[in-house]
């Protein structure tokens, strides 16, 4: 049975209050880096959004001219909220567990924001995506960076002049249960960076981009409270394309 | 002026006592992973070893049939020691600073063990290597993992039931001065993983392998004292090949 804390009303209320949910892509500081990995023009493209949440990425893709967008989430409550922003357009909302979901037809772009670390069987999901991606297609995803996710007790510790992020368990991949927004036992899966790269390769996807996102100097002027983010990366961004296309592009 | 603590007699004496130096490749637990990235057969290959130290890798390459091996190090003392193990064979020892060195002819395999993090201008060195690598050639290197190298105060901290490795400064790349073997102010350069990948790509090298090395269960049976190594990776292994060859291989 899939984990679905989002259908818990208390959790959902807390989640709905997050800056990131209220502000959409403008509230996601890593969005410019993710945008840079996506095709310049989405006109006529079929886009798949894995773990769509409020649907910000799906609506961005629709606005950017996508021919159709499939937005998948495990939470009925989340999909209802997404529909409340935009319904009846070119976005199809699909209720599904990403540990079982496979795309229902070809797509040109797969996007996924901060979702892969909730997926238990990443190899299966990436293979399913790869087999649906058209030649020259793009897979672009963000997830929690393993430095952020690995520790058995994730937290900042103050030190003279700054913060430290004590890492533990980096080489012990797998299940982590953390408290989030007052909800105990939120389940995530820690994977090393080389494991992500191996999963992409095994699925037939060639890495095009890898970014260990951190705030820029400009970000810090606007948000000085983000300074601790310089001590460790929170978000890993991955871009890939079907391997044989990549070879043809270069040849 | 290049950093060269190895020509300090006290430092060298301490260095010479390290398990890794005394045992050679057998004392380098990451060697099997590195070996797996290298060509199965070195017969007739020209090999370049960047930061050869005692010359273990260079002698391995010679034994494995390499037509010629160029072994580069910044330390006269180190090269003398390497020559004391094997001289007059197919290994040419070169005294050079890797921030200025460029290969003096084509080579088929570039290897480098735990050296790149001492190089200030990685982009320059990788471009120089890439332009000397023959089609289908291999670049295989290990370096200190950024989780290991980033912290302003690198050390394990005990916690209930294990150890933590407090990370700081991950997003602040550049110079680190650390104490090593009683020598203060050993200079290293912290780079994120995405910076290493970007440097390879900019040099025209396509990533073939990335391993965040950690001890296996078998390693831990033999060396239970390595258990803290499970908490964070110490060594990053990178493999690459000239980009266009890679494309042709796949096409």
């Amino acid at each position: 049975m899939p984990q679905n804390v989002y259908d818990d009303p208390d959790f959902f209320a807390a989640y709905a209050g997050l800056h990131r949910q209220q502000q959409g892509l403008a509230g996601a500081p890593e969005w410019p880096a993710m945008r840079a990995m996506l095709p310049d023009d989405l006109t006529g493209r079929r886009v798949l959004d894995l773990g769509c949440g409020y649907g910000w990425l799906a609506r961005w893709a629709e606005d950017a001219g996508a021919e159709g967008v499939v937005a998948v989430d495990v939470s009925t409550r989340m999909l209802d909220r997404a529909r409340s922003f935009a319904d009846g357009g070119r976005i199809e909302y699909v209720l599904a567990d990403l540990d079982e979901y496979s795309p229902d037809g070809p797509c040109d772009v797969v996007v996924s924001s901060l979702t892969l670390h909730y997926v238990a069987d990443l190899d299966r999901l990436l293979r399913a995506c790869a087999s649906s991606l058209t030649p020259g297609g793009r897979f672009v995803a963000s997830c929690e960076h393993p430095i952020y996710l690995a520790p058995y007790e994730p937290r900042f510790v103050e030190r003279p002049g700054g913060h430290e992020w004590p890492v533990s368990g980096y080489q012990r991949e797998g299940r982590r249960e953390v408290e989030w927004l007052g909800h105990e036992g939120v389940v995530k899966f820690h994977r090393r960076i080389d494991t992500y790269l191996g999963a992409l390769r095994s699925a037939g996807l060639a890495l095009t981009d890898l970014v260990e996102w951190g705030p820029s100097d400009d970000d810090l002027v606007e948000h000085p409270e983000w300074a601790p983010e310089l001590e460790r990366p929170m978000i890993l961004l991955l871009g890939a394309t079907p391997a044989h296309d990549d070879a043809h592009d270069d040849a």
Side-chain angles (χ1 to χ4, degrees), chain A:
Chain A
M1 201 163 80
Q3 158 183 265
N4 180 9
V5 297
Y6 299 98
D7 280 344
D8 176 299
D10 292 338
F11 180 87
F12 194 81
Y15 181 84
L18 288 179
H19 180 74
R20 181 180 284 268
Q21 299 316 318
Q22 297 194 329
Q23 301 295 313
L25 299 178
E30 79 283 8
W31 167 242
M34 193 174 199
R35 174 67 187 93
M37 297 181 183
L38 288 160
D40 286 338
D41 185 5
L42 285 185
T43 306
R45 312 275 184 125
R46 290 152 296 180
V47 176
L48 170 62
D49 181 4
L50 300 174
C52 70
Y54 276 25
W56 291 108
L57 264 176
R59 290 192 296 283
W60 168 80
E62 186 183 38
D63 291 346
E67 182 183 299
V69 182
V70 175
V72 182
D73 207 281
V74 74
S75 160
T76 306
R77 197 175 287 265
M78 200 72 91
L79 291 176
D80 287 346
R81 179 64 62 101
R83 280 196 195 90
S84 77
F85 287 108
D87 206 1
R90 298 190 304 283
I91 305 177
E92 176 193 356
Y93 296 98
V94 174
L95 180 70
D97 174 8
L98 291 178
D99 272 314
E100 294 173 0
Y101 175 78
S102 290
D104 194 21
C107 61
D108 306 300
V109 179
V110 176
V111 293
S112 179
S113 177
L114 295 178
T115 297
L116 295 186
H117 51 274
Y118 295 118
V119 174
D121 193 348
L122 183 66
D123 288 332
R124 190 211 66 83
L125 179 62
L126 292 185
R127 280 197 304 272
C129 290
S131 66
S132 79
L133 269 175
T134 53
R138 290 283 160 174
F139 175 88
V140 176
S142 62
C143 60
E144 289 185 1
H145 194 288
I147 292 178
Y148 180 78
L149 181 46
Y152 300 127
E153 190 188 349
R155 84 277 180 209
F156 275 119
V157 174
E158 286 198 51
R159 66 173 189 89
H163 292 80
E164 294 181 320
W165 180 262
V167 168
S168 56
Y170 194 88
Q171 302 287 8
R172 303 183 202 253
E173 299 186 286
R175 192 180 172 95
R176 296 288 188 277
E177 291 194 20
V178 297
E179 183 274 332
W180 191 36
L181 300 174
H183 192 100
E184 294 290 335
V186 174
V187 175
K188 304 177 182 178
F189 296 90
H190 163 53
R191 296 179 181 95
R192 307 187 316 197
I193 289 179
D194 56 2
T195 298
Y196 276 110
L197 300 193
L200 288 170
R201 181 169 302 186
S202 295
L205 296 170
L207 186 75
T208 54
D209 305 272
L210 187 153
V211 172
E212 299 177 280
W213 185 85
S216 67
D217 290 345
D218 285 351
D219 289 334
L220 289 169
V221 169
E222 199 170 340
H223 296 281
E225 74 278 12
W226 290 355
E229 298 298 322
L230 294 176
E231 309 302 343
R232 57 101 183 91
M234 196 180 93
I235 296 177
L236 177 68
L237 298 165
L238 297 167
T241 191
H244 282 281
D245 303 324
D246 187 55
H248 290 306
D249 286 350
D250 284 353

